[in-house]
Amino acid sequence: MSTVPHPRHGVDDLCAAGTELYERALHEGRVRAAEAAAAPCLIDFGLLHPGLEDLDWLEPVAPAVALHQLLRTSSERIADERRREARLAERFAPLLRSGGPRTPAVADTPSARVLSGTERINRAITEAMAEATREVLCVQPNSNYSNERGQIAQSVAMDRDQSLLDRGGRIRTLYQSTQRHVPLVMARYEQLRGDAEARTLDELTERLILVDRTVAFIPADDDRLMALEVRHPALVKYFGTTFDRLWSLATPMFPEAVRPPTLNGITPRQRAIATLLVEGHTDAVIADRLGMNVRTARVHIAKLAATLGSDSRAQLGYLIGRSGILDQEG
């Protein structure tokens, strides 16, 4: 019998199963060891440990003790990184002084480099934006600010965005249409002071941050734990052109929201879904492409079917084609 592997996560983003089991262990004083199979992270993070008298039971570590241990581990890791930075600086100092034979100036800055880890990625973006003088262009598909990690990222982004705006720069951001009414997204723009605009499209490219049209940041893996910092002029120009064309097609969201028009009772969202339906995509693919969950996608599909008078999925595809809604211009 196969089991679903436990998702990888940090202690700062404890899973629901782990949170529930740890809270129960604190309340009851112990839990059975077999119950930890659904949340092995509790043992990995040192929040539960085997009982001394009976190994079939796990006892919780007091939250204050666990927090102290985790903070001490974090401090030691930061200290190790600083020592490593000092060793690297010492090792490269003579090499930097000696230079290299016939080394062109452009070689000082690589055309692309891989950034690994959220902290390093955010640090590189912050450093690039600190030097920006004109604009930052962003593509942010299906942003998630609901969890703690997302809220921390939002706070960091707010600070560096406001700093650019205070220097007279501008910010242009593209979101998916599903983000138009997300309170945290709207609150972000209501707090920013300066030349900041946002627009939306049903479908977007992957995440992109383009700073002064000289350096771009794009994901390098599906989990977004790695990124590419791109400085090659041809690639950066390509990213800028792509953004400009998407921007011209997008619907304004801030500072002045424009409501996408409804044609013959069909909303723009339903038209986007209709396009993907006739291409033969599943509900899951449609939801992923449009930045929504499957349940929401199915609600929109049901409303589209009701509007067109369809009784089945096969008939819906036929009625979409006959209705001509995909030929209409918004």
Side-chain angles (χ1 to χ4, degrees):
M1 178 177 178
S2 61
T3 58
V4 178
H6 188 70
R8 295 177 57 186
H9 61 80
V11 69
D12 57 331
D13 193 19
L14 197 61
C15 63
T19 300
E20 180 181 354
L21 186 60
Y22 183 52
E23 290 178 348
R24 184 154 60 83
L26 291 171
H27 178 71
E28 300 176 0
R30 63 178 186 171
V31 294
R32 291 195 175 276
E35 296 182 74
C41 53
L42 295 179
I43 297 177
D44 295 340
F45 297 146
L47 299 179
L48 293 179
H49 62 81
L52 293 177
E53 298 180 358
D54 190 343
L55 297 180
D56 290 335
W57 291 87
L58 296 174
E59 299 174 356
V61 176
V65 175
L67 178 61
H68 175 73
Q69 293 173 343
L70 291 168
L71 290 177
R72 183 176 63 187
T73 301
S74 178
S75 299
E76 292 173 352
R77 185 169 61 251
I78 293 173
D80 287 341
E81 284 296 320
R82 288 175 176 169
R83 287 190 290 269
R84 180 173 177 271
E85 290 175 0
R87 291 195 300 270
L88 285 171
E90 181 180 1
R91 177 67 183 85
F92 277 82
L95 300 174
L96 292 171
R97 287 194 297 269
S98 64
R102 300 177 183 177
T103 302
V106 72
D108 293 340
T109 303
S111 61
R113 63 170 177 159
V114 179
L115 305 173
S116 180
T118 303
E119 182 178 348
R120 188 182 181 199
I121 294 170
N122 282 331
R123 184 168 64 245
I125 295 172
T126 299
E127 290 172 355
M129 288 189 61
E131 299 175 358
T133 58
R134 293 178 291 140
E135 67 178 5
V136 170
L137 309 177
C138 304
V139 177
Q140 298 283 10
N142 198 19
S143 301
N144 181 13
Y145 300 127
S146 58
N147 57 32
E148 182 180 358
R149 183 179 300 174
Q151 292 176 12
I152 292 174
Q154 169 83 328
S155 176
V156 172
M158 284 287 294
D159 291 340
R160 65 193 182 202
D161 287 355
Q162 188 57 61
S163 178
L164 172 64
L165 295 173
D166 290 342
R167 298 196 302 272
R170 71 173 189 170
I171 296 173
R172 301 289 182 267
T173 307
L174 282 167
Y175 294 98
Q176 283 186 282
S177 298
T178 49
Q179 303 291 297
R180 289 184 72 86
H181 304 295
V182 175
L184 285 174
V185 174
M186 294 307 300
R188 162 184 168 79
Y189 288 92
E190 291 169 355
Q191 295 173 34
L192 289 174
R193 303 177 306 277
D195 188 0
E197 288 186 45
R199 296 185 181 183
T200 61
L201 278 172
D202 286 310
E203 289 193 76
L204 284 176
T205 63
E206 255 294 357
R207 193 178 303 273
L208 166 70
I209 298 176
L210 183 57
V211 182
D212 272 355
R213 299 189 187 246
T214 58
V215 55
F217 298 89
I218 59 174
D221 67 343
D222 293 338
D223 296 330
R224 295 176 178 170
L225 296 178
M226 300 180 68
L228 278 180
E229 178 185 295
V230 181
R231 293 181 180 271
H232 193 287
L235 291 174
V236 169
K237 182 180 179 181
Y238 176 83
F239 293 142
T241 300
T242 300
F243 181 92
D244 291 339
R245 296 193 177 168
L246 292 175
W247 184 260
S248 67
L249 297 172
T251 302
M253 182 181 81
F254 185 90
E256 183 177 352
V258 174
R259 186 178 179 84
T262 297
L263 299 173
N264 299 331
I266 306 297
T267 67
R269 182 74 49 76
Q270 290 169 352
R271 288 183 61 205
I273 288 175
T275 299
L276 297 175
L277 281 172
V278 298
E279 291 176 0
H281 297 295
T282 64
D283 294 353
V285 171
I286 292 172
D288 182 66
R289 290 271 293 268
L290 300 180
M292 61 182 71
N293 60 49
V294 175
R295 177 181 296 180
T296 302
R298 287 171 178 163
V299 169
H300 284 294
I301 293 171
K303 290 180 179 178
L304 176 63
T307 301
L308 295 178
S310 172
D311 296 324
S312 67
R313 188 68 165 250
Q315 185 187 29
L316 178 57
Y318 166 74
L319 292 176
I320 288 172
R322 194 181 70 173
S323 69
I325 61 173
L326 301 185
D327 300 325
Q328 300 172 5
E329 295 295 331

